[in-house]
Amino acid sequence: MSKKLLDGIKSPTDLRALAPDQVPQVARELREEIIEQVSRVGGHLASSLGACELITAIHYTFETPQDRLVLDVGHQGYPHKLLTGRRGNFEHIGQRGGIGKFLRRDESVYDHFGAGHAGTSISAALGMARAIEAKGGDNCAIALIGDGGMTAGMAFEALNHAGDLGQSNLIVVLNDNEMSISPNVGAMSSYLSRKLSGPMVRRMKGWARDFLSSLPGDMLHWAQKAEESLKVFFSPGLLFEALNFKYLGPVQGHRVSVLLETFNNAREMIRQGEGPILIHAITAKGFGYEPAQRDPFRYHGVGTFDVASGEFHKSKPGPPKYQNVFADTLIKIAKEDERVVGITAAMADGTGLDRFKRVFPNRFYDVGIAEQHGITFAAGLAAEGLKPVAAIYSTFLQRAYDQVVHDVCVQDLDVTLAMDRAGLVGADGATHQGMYDISYLRTLPNIICMAPKDENELQHMLATAVLYNGPAAIRYPRGAGLGVPLDQELKPIPVGEAEVLRDGGDAVIVAYGNTVQAAQTAADALGTKGIAVAVLNARFVKPLDVAKINRFAEKTGHVVTVEEHASFGGFGSAVVENFSASGLSPRVRILAIPDQIVEHGDAKRFRSEFGIDSGGIEKALKDLLNLA
Ligand SMILES: Cc1ncc(C[n+]2csc(CCOP(=O)(O)OP(=O)(O)O)c2C)c(N)n1
C-alpha cells in the first residue's frame, strides 16, 4: 500500500511543510480515514466530512496553535483531531479513557476551547483575540462555525460585540451547508442561502462584467470597486458588513486552492489590521461519501456501519426509546387538546418531536439552536392560552435558565419542559451530561418537577404536566425504556404524590426517576436476607410527598435516597431539607453523582462507580444498618 501523506503528519507543522498542491490529498486522506474509523466505532460523521478541506486549509495557512482555532460545538472536529497528533487514538473515541467526541482543552494544545454546546465559538475566539492583542501579540483567533451554530443567539451577540470592537485579529469562518442536524431553519438561513445564486443576481453580475470590460483603463479601478460593492449588496455579505466585518465569499468550501487563496488573503488583511473578517464558505454536509452526502441528516451522528453500502449495523430490537414514548404520548394528548403545541431547539429527531411534526405540522416549532428564545417563545404562547411543550435535553436547557426563571416560573405560565437525556449520557461526555436540572429547577417558584420510573409512567406524567395549569418539568433518560407494558389510557398523577412500591420496617429507599428499578432490586436482595426495606417511587421532587416520606422515615429510622443527578442540590438534598424542616433526624445516605466532572464512557460503569445502581444501593443500606 502506498504511504499516505497523513503518515508524515504528526502536527500541523508537518502539514505546513507540504507544497500547496499536496493539501487536497491530505483532505482526501482525512476523509477516507474518518469514514473508515467512524464506521467501526460510530460518532459524528457528516459534519466532519464536510469540514475536511476547511480545517486542513486553516491549519495549513495559519500558525496554529499560536493562531487560535476555535471550533463551534466540536462535532466537526475529527479532521482537526487527526491533524493534531490524535490519529492513533480514534479507536476509543467517546469511550472511557479514549479521546472525546468534542474538543477539550486538556486533550491537546490545539484545542483552545472546549465545547459541545453550539454557538460559543465567536465569543470565545473574540475573547482570545482581544487577550492576544492586549498582551502585545500578533496572532489571530479563528472561529469555525456552522450555519446551524449561527442560529444560536450568542453567535449574534458575539458578532455584534466584535464589530463594535473592530477586533482586527478575529476571523469567523462560516461553514454553510444549509443543515443543522436536520435542515437548518430560520430567516437567517434563507438569507444566507441566496448566495448570489438567484437568477436576478446572476444577471446583474453579467451586466456588471460586460460594463467593466467596456471601460477605459483609469476608470476600471473605480468600476471594479463598484463591482465589489455590488457583489456585497447582492450577497449575504451585506448583513456582516453592516456588523463591521469584512466579508469574503461566498467561497467553494471543498476547493482547497480557493480556500488557500481566501485564507491567505484573510491573513494578509489581518496583518494590515483590517479585521474582523467573515469568510463565508459553502460546503456540503457529508461531502465525499455518497450515502452521507445524500442523506446528511441520517449520517450526522452514527453507530457502526458498512462503508461500501453505507448501511448501518442493526442494533437488537428492544423496548421503545423514552423520546418516542414521549412524542407518541404528546400526539395522543394533542389530539384531545388543540391548545397543545410542540417546540424543539434544533433537535426534532433527538427529542422525537419529528413524529409530532408529521401529525401536527402547524403546531410544531423548530426555533433553531435557540433554547433561550424557545422558552420565552413558549411563555408567550402560554400567555395567550396555549399549552406549549418544549422538549429540550437537560444539558441544553441550561442555556435557557433565566428564561425559565424570569419568563416562565415568575409569571407562573403554563409551559411544560420535557427534559430528555436527563442523567448520564455515555459517549457524549462532560458537556452533555444531564446532571444539574433537579438542582436548577427545584429552587424556582411555581414549577412542579417530576421523573418517571419507566416509560409507562412517562406517559402519565406528560398528561399530568399538560393538565397542570402552570410550569411543569419532567426529566427522563437517554435511550430505551424498561420494556414495561404501555397503558392505553392516560391517567394523570395527583401532583406531589409518591408511590409506595414496597413496604418494610427496617429502612426505606426513596428513589427518583430511573433509579427506582435498581432500588427495587436492592430491596429484593436484602429481603432474601430477612431485611425489610420499603421502596418509595418519589415521582415528584417538587412538591415532595412529605407525608409519605416522613412516615417511612419515622417508621424505619433509616433512609437512602437515590437519583441519577449531581448530589449537590439534588433530590436527596430536597429530602434532607424536608427532614430538617420537619424536625426529623433519621439516619440518611444520599446516593447521587459526586461533585465532579463526569467524562465520556459507559453510563452503566459510571452508575456502578457512583453507587447508584442496585449493588451500590444495597451496599449503602448495609452500611446504614451496620450490617457486615
Ligand atoms: C446549545 C446546543 N443545542 C443543541 C445542540 C445539538 N447540536 C449538535 S450539532 C447541531 C447542529 C449544528 O449544525 P451546524 O453548526 O450547521 O454544523 P453542521 O453539523 O451542519 O456542520 C446541533 C443542533 C448543541 N450542540 N448545542
Side-chain angles (χ1 to χ4, degrees):
M1 219 166 74
S2 65
K3 203 164 142 59
K4 290 179 173 183
L5 288 176
L6 270 186
D7 295 335
I9 299 176
K10 304 288 173 246
S11 78
T13 310
D14 300 322
L15 171 70
R16 292 193 280 268
L18 299 176
D21 61 3
Q22 292 177 295
V23 182
Q25 189 184 331
V26 174
R28 276 195 301 276
E29 290 179 9
L30 285 171
R31 177 167 288 114
E32 280 163 20
E33 196 141 322
I34 290 166
I35 296 167
E36 179 58 32
Q37 295 279 12
V38 176
S39 75
R40 279 190 268 126
V41 293
H44 290 116
L45 183 65
S47 313
S48 286
L49 295 182
C52 284
E53 285 78 14
L54 277 172
I55 287 176
T56 309
I58 290 172
H59 277 300
Y60 187 77
T61 311
F62 295 94
E63 287 296 321
T64 54
Q66 284 75 33
D67 289 329
R68 318 296 199 215
L69 171 59
V70 181
L71 302 188
D72 206 74
V73 187
H75 67 309
Q76 78 292 59
Y78 294 12
H80 167 80
K81 290 192 184 224
L82 289 170
L83 288 173
T84 53
R86 283 166 276 184
R87 203 171 159 222
N89 308 86
F90 255 70
E91 219 176 306
H92 301 295
I93 195 164
Q95 293 169 16
R96 192 77 179 266
I99 58 173
K101 286 172 68 184
F102 303 95
L103 264 55
R104 302 156 46 107
R105 279 171 58 81
D106 59 4
E107 204 177 276
S108 165
V109 292
Y110 292 90
D111 291 7
H112 298 289
F113 206 72
H117 289 199
T120 63
S121 60
I122 306 178
S123 301
L126 175 60
M128 289 172 192
R130 198 72 187 163
I132 290 168
E133 185 188 293
K135 289 187 281 187
D138 54 9
N139 287 101
C140 64
I142 306 142
L144 175 63
I145 182 167
D147 55 304
M150 202 61 120
T151 62
M154 232 181 124
F156 288 93
E157 293 172 27
L159 287 175
N160 190 36
H161 188 204
D164 185 46
L165 290 175
Q167 193 60 44
S168 60
N169 57 348
L170 176 73
I171 299 175
V172 175
V173 179
L174 172 58
N175 175 12
D176 182 2
N177 55 25
E178 297 183 23
M179 291 291 290
S180 189
I181 292 180
S182 332
N184 201 10
V185 296
M188 170 77 178
S189 176
S190 329
Y191 177 72
L192 286 177
S193 64
R194 282 186 216 159
K195 316 182 197 91
L196 287 174
S197 62
M200 175 63 184
V201 172
R202 272 203 302 275
R203 232 176 301 141
M204 289 293 292
K205 282 183 73 189
W207 293 338
R209 220 174 299 118
D210 295 346
F211 173 65
L212 282 179
S213 56
S214 70
L215 286 178
D218 57 336
M219 281 179 73
L220 195 64
H221 169 74
W222 294 108
Q224 272 167 345
K225 276 210 163 305
E227 196 222 6
E228 280 308 303
S229 317
L230 208 68
K231 208 165 131 186
V232 164
F233 187 73
F234 285 106
S235 80
L238 197 59
L239 175 72
F240 300 111
E241 294 271 339
L243 288 168
N244 204 20
F245 274 71
K246 298 281 174 336
Y247 175 84
L248 303 184
V251 293
Q252 219 285 23
H254 298 300
R255 292 218 3 232
V256 172
S257 57
V258 173
L259 292 178
L260 293 184
E261 192 190 331
T262 310
F263 289 143
N264 271 316
N265 285 343
R267 200 187 51 194
E268 281 315 305
M269 287 167 72
I270 291 281
R271 285 187 182 149
Q272 305 298 322
E274 289 181 34
I277 296 169
L278 186 131
I279 298 171
H280 184 186
I282 308 301
T283 61
K285 193 161 170 170
F287 185 78
Y289 181 51
E290 205 271 333
Q293 202 172 331
R294 193 168 10 98
D295 192 352
F297 160 68
R298 275 187 76 214
Y299 288 82
H300 175 88
V302 296
T304 57
F305 63 94
D306 175 63
V307 175
S309 65
E311 267 171 39
F312 297 124
H313 296 144
K314 293 233 163 26
S315 46
K316 277 195 231 104
K321 289 182 175 173
Y322 277 94
Q323 68 203 49
N324 292 339
V325 174
F326 155 74
D328 292 345
T329 310
L330 190 63
I331 292 168
K332 227 185 222 182
I333 294 171
K335 281 183 178 158
E336 299 296 316
D337 187 340
E338 61 184 21
R339 295 169 300 169
V340 172
V341 298
I343 298 171
T344 176
M347 302 300 288
D349 173 60
T351 57
L353 274 188
D354 51 349
R355 293 173 175 234
F356 182 86
K357 177 188 178 182
R358 285 195 284 275
V359 184
F360 296 111
N362 298 328
R363 289 157 68 181
F364 164 86
Y365 299 95
D366 180 351
V367 297
I369 309 178
E371 289 80 5
Q372 311 94 304
H373 159 66
I375 293 300
T376 304
F377 171 63
L381 293 169
E384 291 294 326
L386 294 191
K387 282 186 164 286
V389 176
I392 297 182
Y393 292 6
S394 163
T395 186
F396 299 142
L397 191 64
Q398 291 162 193
R399 269 290 163 83
Y401 191 53
D402 184 54
Q403 287 73 8
V404 172
V405 179
H406 176 268
D407 301 325
V408 176
C409 291
V410 168
Q411 305 194 84
D412 199 10
L413 286 168
D414 191 0
V415 174
T416 294
L417 306 172
M419 287 177 295
D420 199 329
R421 275 47 163 194
L424 297 166
V425 295
D428 282 344
T431 55
H432 283 57
Q433 306 289 5
M435 52 188 261
Y436 308 110
D437 58 90
I438 300 178
S439 311
Y440 72 64
L441 289 178
R442 78 176 181 87
T443 48
L444 303 181
N446 294 318
I447 194 165
I448 61 168
C449 304
M450 55 196 127
K453 66 174 186 291
D454 56 35
E455 66 272 30
N456 186 41
E457 197 167 56
L458 172 60
Q459 301 190 94
H460 302 310
M461 280 191 178
L462 188 57
T464 311
V466 174
L467 189 71
Y468 181 72
N469 187 19
I474 314 173
R475 76 186 313 258
Y476 48 94
R478 180 193 174 102
L482 304 183
V484 298
L486 294 174
D487 297 334
Q488 285 310 304
E489 194 192 336
L490 299 178
K491 286 171 259 165
I493 299 165
V495 172
E497 192 172 292
E499 180 187 28
V500 182
L501 294 175
R502 183 187 175 108
D503 200 359
D506 294 323
V508 59
I509 310 169
V510 192
Y512 191 55
N514 63 331
T515 60
V516 169
Q517 194 191 36
Q520 285 181 290
T521 309
D524 286 346
L526 286 175
T528 61
K529 294 175 185 138
I531 299 148
V533 178
V535 177
L536 294 191
N537 166 22
R539 298 201 291 207
F540 294 83
V541 63
K542 187 179 184 192
L544 206 57
D545 192 338
V546 169
K548 267 195 205 100
I549 293 173
N550 286 358
R551 177 152 57 81
F552 277 90
E554 283 184 305
K555 175 168 144 179
T556 65
H558 297 95
V559 180
V560 169
T561 70
V562 54
E563 69 206 280
E564 196 168 304
H565 182 274
S567 61
F568 290 178
F571 175 75
S573 295
V575 172
V576 170
E577 283 163 22
N578 151 62
F579 288 149
S580 166
S582 308
L584 297 182
S585 44
R587 297 189 68 199
V588 185
R589 287 275 187 289
I590 294 176
L591 304 183
I593 300 172
D595 178 29
Q596 67 174 69
I597 295 284
V598 182
E599 301 293 1
H600 47 274
D602 181 33
K604 205 166 148 209
R605 219 174 111 188
F606 278 122
R607 283 183 196 116
S608 160
E609 276 178 36
F610 300 148
I612 56 175
D613 63 352
S614 58
I617 301 170
E618 193 181 332
K619 184 171 177 302
L621 279 163
K622 285 182 180 160
D623 285 352
L624 197 64
L625 295 167
N626 295 323
L627 302 170

